Amino acid sequence: NAGVMQNPRHLVRRRGQEARLRCSPMKGHSHVYWYRQLPEEGLKFMVYLQKENIIDESGMPKERFSAEFPKEGPSILRIQQVVRGDSAAYFCASSPAAGINYGYTFGSGTRLTVV
Amino acid sequence: EDQVTQSPEALRLQEGESSSLNCSYTVSGLRGLFWYRQDPGKGPEFLFTLYSAGEEKEKERLKATLTKKESFLHITAPKPEDSATYLCAVQTSGSGGSNYKLTFGKGTLLTVNP
């Protein structure tokens, strides 16, 4: 039973390019959460999605960032026109039901470097 | 705003030298306090959840305790394989809290030398 799969593991983008980060939840999990870990900072909640719905995007910057979790396929975190300050590790977690107490499992993350 | 502070930022121990990591929190309505282990290049791996003051959980060489203001992660006779970053996180019911969102501290980097 594969865990939460994130790809790519490392992503390098030039300033102004777009970054697409993918997260495939664990089998049977339909709830996905994205977190960002800036250098020297703790993980910060960004967005919570269920299939085809954004439930809470209160932690996501209003501009340039978007997230989706389509009916088929992985969840995508999209960052348009990346800037140096977007360099961070992005983690997703999944659970079979809404809430931390239902097997909330993290993936290994995508390390984004903006040059 | 919920705040989680972990100390020390880094801790170096000799194998077998027991110690404790601290996590202090200022939140409105604690639902749960979580400890995770994070190895380099990996995501957080769940260790414990504590729900109420006085609660204790144990797993191998690790023991987590909770008071109304802080939590401790005690490491007894650590081994080099215990080297990792230990993260503390809270789930709250106050403003901005929810049953699905965690607020993390910055972590404690533990190094255990053989």
Side-chain angles (χ1 to χ4, degrees):
Chain A
N1 183 16
V4 178
M5 304 301 293
Q6 290 190 248
N7 65 81
R9 293 295 305 277
H10 300 274
L11 182 62
V12 179
R13 283 287 176 266
R14 295 188 182 279
R15 281 177 294 170
Q17 291 185 319
E18 178 180 290
R20 279 184 175 241
L21 288 61
R22 295 175 191 77
C23 170
S24 296
M26 287 183 68
K27 188 176 181 180
H29 287 197
S30 58
H31 301 255
V32 167
Y33 318 84
W34 286 92
Y35 285 77
R36 178 165 67 171
Q37 189 173 36
L38 292 165
E40 310 302 323
E41 297 289 328
L43 282 88
K44 298 252 190 288
F45 171 82
M46 297 181 75
V47 61
Y48 162 37
L49 310 104
Q50 294 178 22
K51 286 282 187 182
E52 300 184 278
N53 284 303
I54 297 174
I55 307 301
D56 180 354
E57 56 183 351
S58 60
M60 201 154 67
K62 295 287 186 285
E63 297 181 358
R64 301 187 298 107
F65 285 72
S66 62
E68 63 177 12
F69 189 15
K71 188 176 179 181
E72 301 290 339
S75 175
I76 306 286
L77 180 66
R78 182 181 177 204
I79 312 172
Q80 295 179 289
Q81 298 176 309
V82 296
V83 301
R84 290 241 170 94
D86 296 331
S87 295
Y90 293 81
F91 293 94
C92 81
S94 71
S95 64
I100 293 161
N101 300 312
Y102 294 96
Y104 201 90
T105 304
F106 282 90
S108 292
T110 293
R111 273 93 187 145
L112 172 66
T113 303
V114 179
V115 297
Chain B
E1 185 179 325
D2 299 331
Q3 290 197 344
V4 178
T5 304
Q6 292 189 244
S7 62
E9 290 185 9
L11 180 62
R12 200 173 277 274
L13 299 173
Q14 288 299 123
E15 185 171 1
E17 179 187 1
S18 301
S19 188
S20 296
L21 313 183
N22 177 263
C23 170
S24 63
Y25 58 90
T26 305
V27 301
S28 51
L30 181 72
R31 287 189 174 188
L33 186 139
F34 296 73
W35 282 98
Y36 287 85
R37 170 188 171 130
Q38 186 175 23
D39 292 297
K42 298 285 184 66
E45 177 187 342
F46 172 76
L47 292 173
F48 303 110
T49 308
L50 301 166
Y51 293 103
S52 56
E55 190 175 359
E56 300 182 350
K57 294 264 179 82
E58 281 190 72
K59 180 180 179 181
E60 296 180 358
R61 296 177 291 283
L62 299 177
K63 179 180 177 181
T65 62
L66 181 66
T67 73
K68 289 187 177 179
K69 293 183 178 180
E70 59 192 348
S71 177
F72 292 93
L73 185 65
H74 307 276
I75 303 177
T76 302
K79 298 182 177 182
E81 53 261 42
D82 295 322
S83 297
T85 296
Y86 290 85
L87 304 175
C88 171
V90 296
Q91 177 192 12
T92 69
S93 57
S95 174
S98 70
N99 71 332
Y100 52 80
K101 190 187 303 183
L102 288 171
T103 299
F104 281 86
K106 294 182 181 181
T108 293
L109 175 60
L110 175 66
T111 304
V112 182
N113 295 316

